[in-house]
């Protein structure tokens, strides 16, 4: 009489093989997800910098603010634009602001009289 069932050894073998496959696949998947999140964060920073650039361009009378002496290695003008200002003035959307926790962030704006330079900063108050 022939049985149509799997033996305990066959079932354990299948579980072991599936476990090995899982050990190989999950770290690779997590790595891809982490890289994707890092790419999203960089994209959000670029969007905020572009929004700050548009803000500065449309508000040239207010930025940059004069600071200190002009030396060769030191840009003579700088200012900051907070993400709250960009949100309030409609340069970034509320959904992005909340989803990516942009509260307290800012963009430092520097100028050497010919060109503006922008740098995203977290933890500005």
């Amino acid at each position: 009489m022939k049985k149509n069932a799997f033996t305990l050894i066959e079932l354990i073998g299948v579980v072991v093989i599936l476990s090995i496959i899982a050990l190989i696949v999950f770290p690779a998947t997590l790595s891809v997800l982490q890289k994707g999140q890092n790419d999203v964060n960089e994209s959000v920073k670029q969007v905020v910098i572009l929004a700050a650039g548009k803000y500065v361009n449309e508000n040239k009378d207010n930025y940059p603010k004069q600071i200190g002496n002009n030396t060769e290695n030191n840009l003579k003008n700088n200012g900051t634009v907070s993400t709250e200002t960009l949100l309030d003035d409609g340069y970034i959307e509320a959904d992005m602001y909340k989803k990516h926790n942009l509260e307290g962030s800012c963009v430092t704006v520097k100028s050497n009289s010919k060109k503006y330079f922008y740098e995203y900063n977290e933890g500005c108050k």
Side-chain angles (χ1 to χ4, degrees):
M1 186 184 269
K2 189 171 187 178
K3 292 185 179 182
N4 290 331
F6 294 108
T7 65
L8 183 57
I9 298 296
E10 291 172 329
L11 291 174
I12 291 173
V14 169
V15 169
V16 168
I17 290 170
L18 290 175
S19 298
I20 292 171
I21 291 171
L23 287 173
I24 294 169
V25 170
F26 285 144
T29 303
L30 292 176
S31 173
V32 168
L33 291 174
Q34 184 63 39
K35 183 179 181 331
Q37 185 61 46
N38 290 342
D39 290 347
V40 167
N41 291 341
E42 285 301 315
S43 294
V44 167
K45 289 178 184 179
Q46 290 302 314
V47 167
V48 172
I49 288 172
L50 290 171
K54 185 174 180 185
Y55 177 85
V56 168
N57 192 42
E58 292 177 1
N59 296 281
K60 285 184 179 178
D61 296 336
N62 299 328
Y63 286 94
K65 296 176 182 172
Q66 184 74 25
I67 62 155
N69 296 330
N70 184 12
T71 63
E72 269 184 51
N73 297 325
N74 184 22
L75 297 173
K76 94 176 195 183
N77 297 314
N78 90 5
T80 60
V81 181
S82 70
T83 52
E84 288 79 10
T85 299
L86 297 174
L87 175 65
D88 292 343
D89 291 355
Y91 290 93
I92 58 175
E93 295 180 3
D95 291 343
M96 183 178 77
Y97 180 82
K98 291 176 186 172
K99 182 177 179 181
H100 297 285
N101 195 24
L102 297 176
E103 183 177 352
S105 300
C106 67
V107 176
T108 302
V109 182
K110 296 181 179 180
S111 170
N112 64 0
S113 76
K114 293 182 181 180
K115 187 175 180 181
Y116 287 102
F117 302 92
Y118 301 92
E119 181 179 310
Y120 179 85
N121 300 296
E122 295 177 357
C124 304
K125 291 289 177 180

